[in-house]
Protein backbone atom coordinates (compact mmCIF):
# COMPACT_ATOMS: atom_id res chain seq x y z
CA UNK A 1 0.00 0.00 0.00
CA UNK A 2 1.37 3.41 -0.96
CA UNK A 3 2.15 6.13 1.58
CA UNK A 4 -0.29 8.37 -0.28
CA UNK A 5 -3.16 5.92 0.23
CA UNK A 6 -2.26 5.47 3.90
CA UNK A 7 -2.35 9.26 4.41
CA UNK A 8 -5.71 9.47 2.65
CA UNK A 9 -7.22 6.69 4.78
CA UNK A 10 -5.93 8.16 8.05
CA UNK A 11 -6.99 11.70 7.19
CA UNK A 12 -10.42 10.64 5.96
CA UNK A 13 -11.03 8.54 9.05
CA UNK A 14 -10.04 11.24 11.53
CA UNK A 15 -11.91 13.93 9.60
CA UNK A 16 -15.11 11.86 9.41
CA UNK A 17 -14.99 11.10 13.12
CA UNK A 18 -14.36 14.76 13.98
CA UNK A 19 -17.36 15.89 11.88
CA UNK A 20 -19.65 14.51 14.57
CA UNK A 21 -17.38 14.98 17.55
CA UNK A 22 -16.92 18.64 18.44
CA UNK A 23 -14.68 17.78 21.38
CA UNK A 24 -12.20 16.03 19.10
CA UNK A 25 -12.41 18.80 16.51
CA UNK A 26 -11.68 21.35 19.23
CA UNK A 27 -8.63 19.41 20.43
CA UNK A 28 -7.11 19.02 16.96
CA UNK A 29 -7.94 22.30 15.21
CA UNK A 30 -5.29 25.00 14.83
CA UNK A 31 -6.08 27.79 17.28
CA UNK A 32 -3.02 30.10 17.28
CA UNK A 33 -4.02 31.68 20.60
CA UNK A 34 -4.09 28.30 22.37
CA UNK A 35 -0.80 27.34 20.77
CA UNK A 36 0.72 30.51 22.21
CA UNK A 37 -0.88 30.38 25.65
CA UNK A 38 -0.74 26.61 26.26
CA UNK A 39 2.23 25.59 24.10
CA UNK A 40 -0.01 23.22 22.14
CA UNK A 41 2.30 23.07 19.15
CA UNK A 42 0.99 19.65 18.18
CA UNK A 43 -1.96 21.49 16.59
CA UNK A 44 0.27 22.46 13.65
CA UNK A 45 0.18 18.77 12.63
CA UNK A 46 -3.20 17.58 13.91
CA UNK A 47 -5.09 20.38 12.16
CA UNK A 48 -3.91 18.89 8.86
CA UNK A 49 -5.85 15.69 9.55
CA UNK A 50 -9.28 17.29 10.02
CA UNK A 51 -11.50 19.17 7.58
CA UNK A 52 -14.40 21.61 7.59
CA UNK A 53 -16.83 19.41 5.66
CA UNK A 54 -17.06 16.59 3.12
CA UNK A 55 -16.44 18.94 0.19
CA UNK A 56 -13.24 20.24 1.76
CA UNK A 57 -12.08 16.71 2.60
CA UNK A 58 -12.89 15.24 -0.81
CA UNK A 59 -11.18 18.07 -2.72
CA UNK A 60 -7.97 17.73 -0.69
CA UNK A 61 -7.87 13.93 -0.75
CA UNK A 62 -8.64 13.68 -4.48
CA UNK A 63 -5.89 16.22 -5.16
CA UNK A 64 -3.49 14.19 -3.03
CA UNK A 65 -4.52 10.95 -4.74
CA UNK A 66 -4.10 12.31 -8.28
CA UNK A 67 -0.63 13.76 -7.69
CA UNK A 68 0.76 12.13 -4.54
CA UNK A 69 1.51 8.70 -5.92
CA UNK A 70 3.37 10.19 -8.90
CA UNK A 71 5.62 12.20 -6.57
CA UNK A 72 6.02 9.15 -4.35
CA UNK A 73 7.27 7.13 -7.32
CA UNK A 74 9.47 10.01 -8.50
CA UNK A 75 11.14 10.29 -5.09
CA UNK A 76 11.68 6.52 -5.02
CA UNK A 77 13.42 6.82 -8.39
CA UNK A 78 15.52 9.84 -7.38
CA UNK A 79 16.38 8.93 -3.79
CA UNK A 80 15.91 5.17 -3.56
CA UNK A 81 14.82 3.85 -0.14
CA UNK A 82 15.04 7.39 1.29
CA UNK A 83 12.25 8.47 -1.06
CA UNK A 84 9.58 7.68 1.53
CA UNK A 85 11.27 9.99 4.04
CA UNK A 86 11.50 12.81 1.48
CA UNK A 87 7.83 12.37 0.62
CA UNK A 88 6.60 12.39 4.22
CA UNK A 89 8.86 15.33 5.03
CA UNK A 90 7.44 17.31 2.10
CA UNK A 91 3.85 16.58 3.12
CA UNK A 92 4.04 16.95 6.90
CA UNK A 93 6.44 19.90 6.99
CA UNK A 94 4.34 21.47 4.24
CA UNK A 95 1.39 21.42 6.65
CA UNK A 96 3.47 23.02 9.40
CA UNK A 97 5.22 25.67 7.30
CA UNK A 98 2.02 26.74 5.57
CA UNK A 99 0.40 27.44 8.96
CA UNK A 100 3.21 29.61 10.34
CA UNK A 101 2.03 32.88 8.72
CA UNK A 102 -1.50 32.19 10.00
CA UNK A 103 -0.13 31.51 13.47
CA UNK A 104 1.85 34.74 13.53
CA UNK A 105 -1.09 36.77 12.27
CA UNK A 106 -3.72 35.38 14.65
CA UNK A 107 -1.77 34.35 17.74
CA UNK A 108 -3.58 36.95 19.85
CA UNK A 109 -7.04 36.14 18.49
CA UNK A 110 -8.69 33.48 20.65
CA UNK A 111 -11.61 33.14 18.20
CA UNK A 112 -9.59 32.23 15.12
CA UNK A 113 -9.37 28.59 14.02
CA UNK A 114 -8.21 26.86 10.86
CA UNK A 115 -7.92 23.30 9.64
CA UNK A 116 -7.25 21.12 6.62
CA UNK A 117 -4.48 19.34 4.77
CA UNK A 118 -4.24 22.16 2.24
CA UNK A 119 -0.64 23.04 3.06
CA UNK A 120 0.64 19.50 2.63
CA UNK A 121 -1.43 18.86 -0.48
CA UNK A 122 -0.30 22.13 -2.05
CA UNK A 123 3.32 21.27 -1.27
CA UNK A 124 2.95 17.93 -3.06
CA UNK A 125 1.04 19.47 -5.97
CA UNK A 126 3.48 22.31 -6.62
CA UNK A 127 6.52 20.11 -6.22
CA UNK A 128 4.98 18.07 -9.04
CA UNK A 129 4.25 21.19 -11.10
CA UNK A 130 7.84 22.39 -10.79
CA UNK A 131 9.10 19.01 -11.96
CA UNK A 132 6.50 18.53 -14.70
CA UNK A 133 4.71 21.81 -15.47
CA UNK A 134 3.01 20.36 -18.55
CA UNK A 135 1.41 17.42 -16.75
CA UNK A 136 -2.31 17.32 -17.46
CA UNK A 137 -4.55 18.37 -14.59
CA UNK A 138 -8.29 17.72 -14.72
CA UNK A 139 -10.37 20.31 -12.89
CA UNK A 140 -13.65 18.71 -11.80
CA UNK A 141 -12.69 15.71 -13.97
CA UNK A 142 -13.47 17.27 -17.36
CA UNK A 143 -11.70 20.66 -17.61
CA UNK A 144 -8.15 19.72 -18.59
CA UNK A 145 -5.14 22.01 -18.67
CA UNK A 146 -1.34 22.01 -18.16
CA UNK A 147 -0.27 21.87 -14.54
CA UNK A 148 1.37 25.29 -14.47
CA UNK A 149 -1.83 26.96 -15.71
CA UNK A 150 -3.87 25.12 -13.08
CA UNK A 151 -1.30 26.27 -10.52
CA UNK A 152 -1.79 29.92 -11.47
CA UNK A 153 -5.59 29.62 -11.26
CA UNK A 154 -5.39 27.69 -7.99
CA UNK A 155 -3.15 30.27 -6.34
CA UNK A 156 -5.34 33.12 -7.59
CA UNK A 157 -8.43 31.49 -6.09
CA UNK A 158 -6.61 30.77 -2.84
CA UNK A 159 -5.41 34.37 -2.58
CA UNK A 160 -8.95 35.66 -3.15
CA UNK A 161 -10.47 33.34 -0.54
CA UNK A 162 -7.70 34.11 1.95
CA UNK A 163 -8.47 37.82 1.63
CA UNK A 164 -12.17 37.13 2.22
CA UNK A 165 -11.42 35.05 5.31
CA UNK A 166 -14.98 33.80 5.70
CA UNK A 167 -14.37 30.17 6.76
CA UNK A 168 -12.20 27.91 8.91
CA UNK A 169 -10.54 26.62 5.73
CA UNK A 170 -7.04 28.07 5.76
CA UNK A 171 -6.79 29.23 2.15
CA UNK A 172 -3.54 31.08 2.81
CA UNK A 173 -2.02 27.66 3.51
CA UNK A 174 -2.44 26.91 -0.20
CA UNK A 175 -0.12 29.79 -1.02
CA UNK A 176 2.59 29.03 1.51
CA UNK A 177 2.33 25.28 0.99
CA UNK A 178 2.83 25.84 -2.74
CA UNK A 179 5.90 28.00 -2.14
CA UNK A 180 7.35 25.42 0.23
CA UNK A 181 6.72 22.61 -2.26
CA UNK A 182 8.53 24.40 -5.08
CA UNK A 183 11.43 25.45 -2.86
CA UNK A 184 11.75 21.90 -1.51
CA UNK A 185 11.83 20.39 -4.99
CA UNK A 186 14.33 23.00 -6.18
CA UNK A 187 16.63 22.20 -3.24
CA UNK A 188 16.50 18.39 -3.34
CA UNK A 189 16.48 18.22 -7.16
CA UNK A 190 18.06 21.43 -8.55
CA UNK A 191 17.72 20.26 -12.17
CA UNK A 192 13.96 20.71 -11.86
CA UNK A 193 14.31 24.51 -12.07
CA UNK A 194 15.88 24.79 -15.56
CA UNK A 195 13.69 21.87 -16.71
CA UNK A 196 10.61 23.83 -15.60
CA UNK A 197 11.42 26.82 -17.79
CA UNK A 198 12.56 24.68 -20.70
CA UNK A 199 9.29 22.76 -20.74
CA UNK A 200 7.13 25.88 -20.57
CA UNK A 201 9.14 27.70 -23.26
CA UNK A 202 8.95 24.61 -25.46
CA UNK A 203 5.17 24.53 -24.97
CA UNK A 204 4.79 28.23 -25.75
CA UNK A 205 7.06 28.34 -28.78
Amino acid sequence: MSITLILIIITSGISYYAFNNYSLMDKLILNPYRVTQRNEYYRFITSGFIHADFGHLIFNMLSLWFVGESIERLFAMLFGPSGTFYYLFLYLVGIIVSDIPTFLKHRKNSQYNSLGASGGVSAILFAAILYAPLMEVALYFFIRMPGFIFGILFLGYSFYEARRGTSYVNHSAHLYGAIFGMVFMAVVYPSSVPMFFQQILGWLF
Side-chain angles (χ1 to χ4, degrees):
M1 184 180 294
S2 68
I3 299 299
T4 299
L5 185 56
I6 292 172
L7 287 171
I8 290 172
I9 291 172
I10 293 173
T11 304
S12 298
I14 296 175
S15 294
Y16 178 76
Y17 187 63
F19 287 155
N20 301 305
N21 188 324
Y22 179 79
S23 177
L24 178 63
M25 180 76 75
D26 187 59
K27 289 178 181 177
L28 302 183
I29 202 166
L30 178 64
N31 181 288
Y33 181 81
R34 292 189 190 180
V35 172
T36 302
Q37 297 298 315
R38 303 179 187 179
N39 296 320
E40 295 177 346
Y41 292 99
Y42 69 87
R43 292 177 182 270
F44 278 98
I45 285 290
T46 59
S47 62
F49 288 86
I50 55 175
H51 289 77
D53 51 41
F54 278 110
H56 185 210
L57 173 65
I58 291 171
F59 179 82
N60 271 341
M61 293 302 99
L62 279 179
S63 299
L64 182 59
W65 172 255
F66 290 148
V67 182
E69 292 204 333
S70 297
I71 289 295
E72 197 175 338
R73 290 192 295 269
L74 173 64
F75 282 2
M77 180 183 71
L78 294 177
F79 310 117
S82 298
T84 297
F85 169 78
Y86 280 88
Y87 182 78
L88 286 173
F89 184 91
L90 173 61
Y91 183 76
L92 295 176
V93 177
I95 291 174
I96 296 171
V97 169
S98 66
D99 280 335
I100 291 176
T102 297
F103 167 74
L104 295 175
K105 181 179 180 180
H106 296 284
R107 65 186 183 278
K108 296 182 180 179
N109 181 2
S110 62
Q111 301 302 311
Y112 183 86
N113 296 292
S114 71
L115 74 176
S118 301
V121 174
S122 290
I124 296 289
L125 174 61
F126 280 81
I129 289 175
L130 184 66
Y131 180 80
L134 301 183
M135 69 177 185
E136 187 177 71
V137 175
L139 184 61
Y140 298 114
F141 298 102
F142 61 90
I143 303 175
R144 299 180 181 277
M145 64 190 75
F148 78 95
I149 293 179
F150 172 81
I152 293 171
L153 296 176
F154 181 74
L155 290 178
Y157 169 78
S158 299
F159 179 77
Y160 171 74
E161 288 295 331
R163 291 292 299 272
R164 289 180 64 198
T166 56
S167 76
Y168 285 165
V169 178
N170 189 357
H171 290 284
S172 68
H174 297 156
L175 303 173
Y176 297 107
I179 293 170
F180 174 75
M182 290 187 288
V183 170
F184 179 86
M185 179 60 82
V187 170
V188 301
Y189 190 63
S191 297
S192 62
V193 177
M195 288 171 53
F196 174 83
F197 291 106
Q198 288 170 7
Q199 290 179 72
I200 291 179
L201 289 174
W203 181 79
L204 290 173
F205 304 105

